């Protein structure tokens, strides 16, 4: 019987991982199945652009995995049973169950409401395709002079606010920050950020926590009312509770606790990659939920799976951040270098050069998804076998 590898999620982490596994493992020994709720690959790093009215290239997952040997199952994951090694799914074909020998859990994250009243009912976000399209429709119907409030001073909040402000100069755009705008940046990069906000006419409400969202306004912690025909919630991410409900060991965040190889510390047949992995970086701190983390963790997870199945030594891939890349509309950006402790260094790149660099990163990621196996190699690795020639799971 072939070794059954099931990958949950076809985002940046899952899609890259599935392609890498297909590229390096022999189809004579392995069967790789990817489960994803929607038929298209979602370029999450560009969803703020989509919401602002720009059109993005559509990549059908069926086309992405065509000819790779990877099986695609369009369904939503409803549960995982790590003791029976099964995954429960539901889709157009009804309810079903997949059996795995190795599971790679890469279901990503969604918006975190933090229990703030009115967010679920009235706020918009850009953490998923459907939510970004919902915001796009709302913004398209907003007339001149309409007000938009983006809540959250992280990368997603900054990129969303600047993208909307640049694309819709007829709107009044504001951003609510719990602390100081760009506080983590170097002084020069912080000044660059503030100049960009001023150029785009974005109002900044610093040291302003939002404690309620209503249809046409947001209420700050001090009781201040901020007008908002549209409130965009960008105040953090949360993972789906499936992992915690399954009995896998999870952190307080709900992320799966993994070792240095992205293997579950409680269930050795399960690996995690992307936002749903509670992984410790080279600086001893948990990796943040980000596209960069998706890259680090999926490379480590696939390398570990391949090595253990083929009897090789598990390599250690890098888990070190080099910087933050922040788009400020289409023609401006900031690339901030960081040190080992993820503290901003004095050097940064800004302006059109940084924007071109970010565009190159996005284009490269898109090309990688469109070519998941990077061209099949002539020879792929066979699984380690027992004396009778039957493939076995390697637990080392």
């Amino acid at each position: 019987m072939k070794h059954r590898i099931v990958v949950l999620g076809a985002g940046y982490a899952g899609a890259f991982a599935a392609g890498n596994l297909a590229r390096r493992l022999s189809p004579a020994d392995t069967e790789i199945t990817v489960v994803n709720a929607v038929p298209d690959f979602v370029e999450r790093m560009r969803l703020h652009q989509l919401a602002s009215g720009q059109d993005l290239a559509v990549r059908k997952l069926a086309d992405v995995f065509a000819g790779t040997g990877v099986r695609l199952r369009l369904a939503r994951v409803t549960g995982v049973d790590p003791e029976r090694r099964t995954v429960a799914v539901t889709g157009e074909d009804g309810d079903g169950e997949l059996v795995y020998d190795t599971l790679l859990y890469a279901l990503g994250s969604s918006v975190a409401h933090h229990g703030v009243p009115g967010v679920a009912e009235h706020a918009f976000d850009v953490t998923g395709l459907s939510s970004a399209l919902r915001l796009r429709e709302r913004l398209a119907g907003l007339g001149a002079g309409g007000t938009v409030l983006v809540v959250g001073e992280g990368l997603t909040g900054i990129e969303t606010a600047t993208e909307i402000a640049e694309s819709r100069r007829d709107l009044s755009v504001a951003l609510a920050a719990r602390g100081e705008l760009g506080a983590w940046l170097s002084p020069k990069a912080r000044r660059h950020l503030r100049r960009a906000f001023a150029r785009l006419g974005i109002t900044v409400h610093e040291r302003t926590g939002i404690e309620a969202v209503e249809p046409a306004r947001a209420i700050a912690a001090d009781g201040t009312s901020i007008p908002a025909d549209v409130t965009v919630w960008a105040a953090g991410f949360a993972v789906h509770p499936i992992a915690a409900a399954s009995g896998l060991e999870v952190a307080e965040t709900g992320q799966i606790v993994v070792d240095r190889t992205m293997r579950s510390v409680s269930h050795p047949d399960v690996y995690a990659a992307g936002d749903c992995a509670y992984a410790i970086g080279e600086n001893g701190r948990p990796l943040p939920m980000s596209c960069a983390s998706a890259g680090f963790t999926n490379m480590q997870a696939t390398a570990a799976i391949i090595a253990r199945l083929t009897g090789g030594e598990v390599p250690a891939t890098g888990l070190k951040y080099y910087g933050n890349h922040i788009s400020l509309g289409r023609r401006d950006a900031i690339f901030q270098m960081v040190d080992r402790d993820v503290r901003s260094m004095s050097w940064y790149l800004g302006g059109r050069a940084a924007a071109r660099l970010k565009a190159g990163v996005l284009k490269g990621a898109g090309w990688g998804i469109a070519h998941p196996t990077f061209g099949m190699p002539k020879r792929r690795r066979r699984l380690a076998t027992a004396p009778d020639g039957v493939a076995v799971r390697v637990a080392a």
Side-chain angles (χ1 to χ4, degrees):
M1 180 181 292
K2 293 183 179 182
H3 188 94
R4 295 159 296 189
I5 301 175
V6 175
V7 180
L8 303 184
Y12 289 107
F16 275 121
N20 197 17
L21 291 167
R23 180 176 186 269
R24 297 172 62 188
L25 291 173
S26 172
D29 299 333
T30 56
E31 177 183 288
I32 302 170
T33 301
V34 175
V35 182
N36 202 62
V38 296
D40 303 329
F41 172 74
V42 177
E43 283 192 273
R44 187 166 176 175
M45 290 192 293
R46 291 184 184 269
L47 287 181
H48 60 289
Q49 299 176 32
L50 179 68
S52 300
Q54 299 176 47
D55 294 324
L56 305 182
V58 176
R59 293 184 174 87
K60 294 290 184 183
L61 290 172
D63 296 335
V64 166
F65 292 121
T68 66
V70 174
R71 300 182 179 188
L72 175 64
R73 177 72 177 267
L74 292 178
R76 181 172 57 86
V77 177
T78 57
V80 174
D81 187 337
E83 306 305 329
R84 295 176 54 238
R85 295 204 300 272
T86 60
V87 177
V89 299
T90 185
E92 293 183 355
D93 299 329
D95 298 341
E97 189 174 77
L98 297 173
V99 180
Y100 66 83
D101 296 304
T102 297
L103 179 71
L104 178 55
Y105 190 109
L107 289 178
S109 63
S110 58
V111 65
H113 294 162
H114 300 300
V116 176
V119 172
E121 297 82 2
H122 307 302
F124 296 77
D125 67 84
V126 292
T127 58
L129 179 60
S130 60
S131 58
L133 288 173
R134 176 172 166 263
L135 173 57
R136 178 188 177 110
E137 182 179 3
R138 179 69 180 96
L139 290 174
L142 199 59
T147 54
V148 177
L149 175 67
V150 178
V151 181
E153 69 271 30
L155 306 187
T156 301
I158 291 173
E159 291 193 333
T160 302
T162 53
E163 197 73 45
I164 294 174
E166 182 178 88
S167 300
R168 292 291 306 274
R169 299 309 296 266
D170 60 323
L171 301 179
S172 176
V173 179
L175 182 142
R178 280 192 171 275
E180 179 185 349
L181 179 67
W184 74 93
L185 295 170
S186 65
K188 290 182 179 179
R190 196 179 310 139
R191 288 194 292 271
H192 185 112
L193 176 64
R194 289 184 175 278
R195 286 196 298 269
F197 268 59
R199 171 173 53 81
L200 293 169
I202 302 171
T203 301
V204 181
H205 302 279
E206 292 186 312
R207 300 174 182 82
T208 302
I210 299 300
E211 295 202 346
V213 176
E214 298 180 359
R217 66 174 185 169
I219 308 300
D222 62 1
T224 301
S225 175
I226 302 175
D229 296 314
V230 176
T231 297
V232 184
W233 196 260
F237 305 108
V239 299
H240 198 284
I242 285 177
S246 71
L248 291 164
E249 183 172 336
V250 299
E252 291 183 1
T253 58
Q255 296 168 290
I256 298 172
V257 180
V258 295
D259 63 15
R260 180 58 177 77
T261 69
M262 303 304 127
R263 194 183 207 179
S264 165
V265 298
S266 62
H267 294 79
D269 294 317
V270 178
Y271 293 77
D275 287 353
C276 54
Y278 188 80
I280 305 302
E282 294 179 9
N283 60 2
R285 301 176 183 176
L287 294 176
M289 296 184 188
S290 69
C291 185
S293 293
F296 299 152
T297 55
N298 99 73
M299 287 188 291
Q300 179 61 81
T302 53
I305 292 170
I306 292 164
R308 289 189 172 115
L309 292 181
T310 59
E313 183 178 349
V314 178
T317 63
L319 298 176
K320 179 182 178 181
Y321 272 81
Y322 293 94
N324 292 317
H325 212 151
I326 315 166
S327 293
L328 304 173
R330 296 295 82 225
R331 295 179 291 277
D332 194 4
I334 290 173
F335 180 69
Q336 174 66 70
M337 291 289 291
V338 298
D339 61 17
R340 184 182 182 279
D341 294 320
V342 200
R343 293 177 302 193
S344 294
M345 302 170 68
S346 59
W347 184 88
Y348 89 102
L349 180 67
R352 289 184 178 272
R356 286 193 292 269
L357 178 60
K358 181 65 178 287
V361 170
L362 295 173
K363 184 177 181 180
W367 187 93
I369 291 297
H371 304 81
T373 59
F374 296 93
M376 287 288 191
K378 293 181 179 179
R379 182 178 181 182
R380 284 175 279 175
R381 300 174 66 180
R382 301 295 300 270
L383 269 60
T385 56
D388 61 0
V390 179
V392 297
R393 295 203 312 275
V394 180

